Amino acid sequence: MLVKSFGSAVFGIEATTITIEVNIDKGISFILVGLPDSAVKESQQRIKAALSNNGYKYPMKEITVNMAPADIRKEGSTFDLPIGIGIMAASEQVKTDSLGDYILLGELSLDGSLQPMKGVLPIALKAKEEGFKGIILPLENVREAAIVDGLNVYGASTINEVITFLNDGTGMEPTKIDIRQEFYNKLDEFAVDFRDVKGQQNIKRSFEIAASGGHNVVLIGPPGAGKSMLAKRLPTILPPMSINESLETTKIHSVAGKVKAGAGLITERPFRKPHHTISDVALVGGGSYPQPGEISLAHNGVLFLDELPEYKRSVLEVMRQPIEDRYVTISRAKFTVEYPAGFMLVAAMNPCPCGYYNHPDKDCVCAPGIVQNYLNKISGPLLDRIDLHVEVTPVSFDELAYHQPEEGSKDIRERVVKARSIQEERFAESEETHCNAQMSSKELRKYCNIDEACNAILKQAMDRLGLSARAYDRILKVSRTIADLEQAEGITTAHISEAIQFRSLDREDWAK
């Protein structure tokens, strides 16, 4: 008897429906075809034990299982459930009436219980797109899949529950989630706030500008000055995620298995902080079976690189293309996958190996030339993609002891949202540009016209401060963002002057 059940496989952040064809004939053997990996090939032992331990009869005949399409590699143990149910249906122990209405997912333990899995959200979205009535999967993943509206999502703890449901239509109820209510209820939930930060007004201002224009930032300062603490609070002033952004972010984290058990929609912008010992593959994604890297997990959020010069040069260089293009492509001999990588880069670094170069109170003990060599670990092309260079100085005792209330993240975010709305209107006709930091040379000439007075200040700054030529465009982009924060039509000398202050590492005398 031939029976078909349906599973699913994830490639990149998209799912492909897999048809499981099970045929039972005379003989005694188990044949599994359709390009399965080792975990899929081992399913026979898990299925056999799970069925026996739940009182069902495993057919001692020739069982042939084909996983179509056969040219796509099938990975992982989540095909246990559709294969097991297919075998039960082919041996007439499970009714086939409604079998074609559902996607089945889940790894089987030997006692028949279902283990949680990853990549559930893209699978649920694909199931809805292809017209399936519902999806049956492990109970721990049910809230994640229930995000998809218009799809019946059933969570099961054991294979016994699935068999009972397919035979009698009882035992399981679909899980429903009001996605909009869940989204808006959690939109402003943050564990940290800029209200906790004493002093550092110039850093708060730079972060407000960065958030408003989508600019990348590097913080330069001695140990203990508050660089990491400030960076953690940047997501709290970024514009709230839209539902589409939230779904896209949840999709990536689902594929990587980073969605917490029992969790649903991700509503906070991601904040990823990889250690400086991270490898190239872990940062950008890849591997034998490609998975999203840290830059993709930071999509729609912030990627924070602490101690920037301590990262391997190769790791930093592989980021250059994703920063520019906002996606990363991973190619293998037989396939190519693409992951989104639209993140804000925030980096922090000491000014020198000892950490006290340019410190107001402590002396730098680094030998001559060491500071320049330390900064040279960061390549010019990477630095060219960072708009704001911000010097962080330690907070004085008086500022720490001063009890006047500080401005909170909510108030700063309101100004950021207003500035972003101006940019959304400005770039409404562009598919590639969404904020000032992404402006092309053509858009820069169109939207960043400056008068003679601004030109004179910019020329004087480049001559006197020794700013490099690459700083010119960055200053104009940041000036445009500052003007947007003030709801100003054009760029003024005040905007240019403030933007010039954020080019510390471009000064020729910085490390002399």
Side-chain angles (χ1 to χ4, degrees):
M1 182 177 179
L2 175 64
V3 168
K4 293 182 181 181
S5 61
F6 297 92
S8 192
V10 177
F11 300 93
I13 59 170
E14 302 299 330
T16 301
T17 299
I18 304 298
T19 303
I20 313 293
E21 299 176 318
V22 180
N23 186 69
I24 293 182
D25 211 335
K26 293 179 181 179
I28 301 177
S29 62
F30 183 85
I31 304 165
L32 181 60
V33 295
L35 214 58
D37 72 350
S38 298
V40 181
K41 290 176 182 176
E42 292 167 353
S43 63
Q44 182 195 9
Q45 284 71 32
R46 291 190 295 271
I47 293 167
K48 188 174 181 179
L51 294 178
S52 298
N53 289 329
N54 280 271
Y56 297 103
K57 184 179 179 182
Y58 184 83
M60 301 304 294
K61 294 186 178 182
E62 183 182 271
I63 302 171
T64 304
V65 180
N66 177 45
M67 307 177 76
D71 60 337
I72 295 177
R73 187 170 180 80
K74 321 303 184 304
E75 302 166 9
S77 54
T78 59
F79 294 103
D80 287 3
L81 185 61
I83 293 174
I85 293 297
I87 291 172
M88 292 289 287
S91 60
E92 299 182 343
Q93 297 178 75
V94 168
K95 294 179 181 177
T96 59
D97 302 350
S98 60
L99 194 57
D101 295 335
Y102 300 98
I103 294 284
L104 305 173
L105 304 167
E107 174 190 335
L108 286 171
S109 295
L110 300 187
D111 63 356
S113 60
L114 293 174
Q115 299 300 314
M117 53 175 289
K118 59 184 182 181
V120 167
L121 183 54
I123 291 172
L125 289 167
K126 190 66 174 180
K128 180 188 176 182
E129 180 188 322
E130 295 191 349
F132 283 91
K133 182 179 177 181
I135 180 171
I136 300 173
L137 73 171
L139 193 60
E140 289 88 341
N141 299 114
V142 73
R143 283 185 61 81
E144 186 182 334
I147 291 169
V148 181
D149 192 29
L151 184 73
N152 290 325
V153 178
Y154 298 91
S157 299
T158 66
I159 190 172
N160 197 33
E161 292 178 18
V162 180
I163 293 171
T164 302
F165 175 76
L166 291 172
N167 281 337
D168 306 328
T170 60
M172 294 192 297
E173 293 295 329
T175 300
K176 297 292 182 183
I177 291 179
D178 187 336
I179 181 174
R180 292 190 175 274
Q181 183 179 356
E182 178 161 308
F183 178 75
Y184 290 113
N185 283 349
K186 295 182 179 179
L187 210 52
D188 295 315
E189 289 184 6
F190 294 105
V192 294
D193 195 288
F194 268 103
R195 186 174 283 107
D196 309 327
V197 181
K198 296 289 186 180
Q200 303 286 23
Q201 299 305 323
N202 63 320
I203 318 299
K204 293 179 183 177
R205 172 64 175 171
S206 67
F207 273 17
E208 183 178 340
I209 294 168
S212 298
H215 302 287
N216 298 323
V217 188
V218 60
L219 305 174
I220 314 111
K227 302 185 293 293
S228 300
M229 177 190 67
L230 287 157
K232 286 177 183 176
R233 285 158 174 77
L234 179 57
T236 67
I237 63 171
L238 289 171
M241 284 205 286
S242 66
I243 288 183
N244 287 337
E245 284 179 323
S246 189
L247 279 168
E248 189 176 32
T249 302
T250 308
K251 237 170 122 177
I252 296 167
H253 284 246
S254 174
V255 169
K258 301 293 184 182
V259 177
K260 295 177 182 177
L265 204 59
I266 293 175
T267 57
E268 289 184 23
R269 290 193 180 273
F271 180 84
R272 305 295 300 181
K273 185 184 176 182
H275 193 260
H276 64 260
T277 56
I278 192 171
S279 67
D280 308 17
V281 170
L283 186 70
V284 300
S288 301
Y289 306 125
Q291 288 288 297
E294 287 292 333
I295 62 173
S296 294
L297 293 171
H299 181 64
N300 291 324
V302 175
L303 177 69
F304 178 49
L305 303 183
D306 201 4
E307 303 297 343
L308 186 65
E310 302 301 330
Y311 285 80
K312 290 187 293 183
R313 181 111 180 180
S314 60
V315 170
L316 296 179
E317 294 308 298
V318 294
M319 283 202 307
R320 285 160 51 181
Q321 177 264 331
I323 289 175
E324 202 75 25
D325 297 338
R326 299 175 63 79
Y327 66 87
V328 60
T329 303
I330 298 167
S331 299
R332 295 292 179 265
K334 294 183 179 179
F335 59 88
T336 298
V337 295
E338 191 175 282
Y339 295 115
F343 59 90
M344 271 184 68
L345 174 64
V346 178
M349 56 182 285
N350 296 329
C352 65
C354 80
Y356 297 108
Y357 181 77
N358 275 348
H359 194 281
D361 302 316
K362 297 185 179 181
D363 294 328
C364 175
V365 297
C366 297
I370 294 294
V371 177
Q372 186 61 58
N373 291 338
Y374 187 72
L375 295 178
N376 284 344
K377 291 182 179 181
I378 309 166
S379 71
L382 177 63
L383 204 60
D384 192 35
R385 289 162 171 81
I386 300 177
D387 296 345
L388 300 171
H389 308 162
V390 185
E391 293 183 58
V392 183
T393 53
V395 180
S396 67
F397 175 80
D398 290 340
E399 287 179 301
L400 284 173
Y402 196 44
H403 295 297
Q404 182 176 344
E406 298 285 345
E407 188 176 31
S409 296
K410 187 177 180 181
D411 298 322
I412 302 173
R413 181 193 256 190
E414 287 177 2
R415 296 195 294 270
V416 169
V417 169
K418 288 178 182 177
R420 282 288 184 108
S421 64
I422 292 172
Q423 293 165 52
E424 285 175 12
E425 187 176 337
R426 177 182 298 141
F427 304 120
E429 296 180 1
S430 173
E431 293 183 3
E432 301 295 327
T433 309
H434 305 286
C435 56
N436 289 336
Q438 300 166 9
M439 279 193 286
S440 63
S441 298
K442 183 179 178 182
E443 289 167 331
L444 198 67
R445 291 192 298 272
K446 182 177 180 181
Y447 299 116
C448 297
N449 286 321
I450 55 176
D451 57 23
E452 288 301 320
C454 292
N455 241 331
I457 289 177
L458 193 50
K459 182 179 185 303
Q460 185 181 26
M462 293 187 73
D463 292 340
R464 290 184 61 185
L465 299 176
L467 297 178
S468 65
R470 69 172 177 249
Y472 181 80
D473 285 358
R474 303 294 171 185
I475 290 172
L476 288 180
K477 289 180 180 180
V478 174
S479 300
R480 181 65 266 173
T481 300
I482 296 170
D484 290 342
L485 275 168
E486 296 182 2
Q487 314 282 307
E489 282 288 332
I491 297 172
T492 67
T493 53
H495 303 147
I496 289 284
S497 299
E498 185 175 2
I500 289 168
Q501 297 176 29
F502 298 118
R503 298 305 302 180
S504 300
L505 294 181
D506 282 318
R507 298 174 188 167
E508 292 179 355
D509 63 344
W510 167 255
K512 290 185 178 179

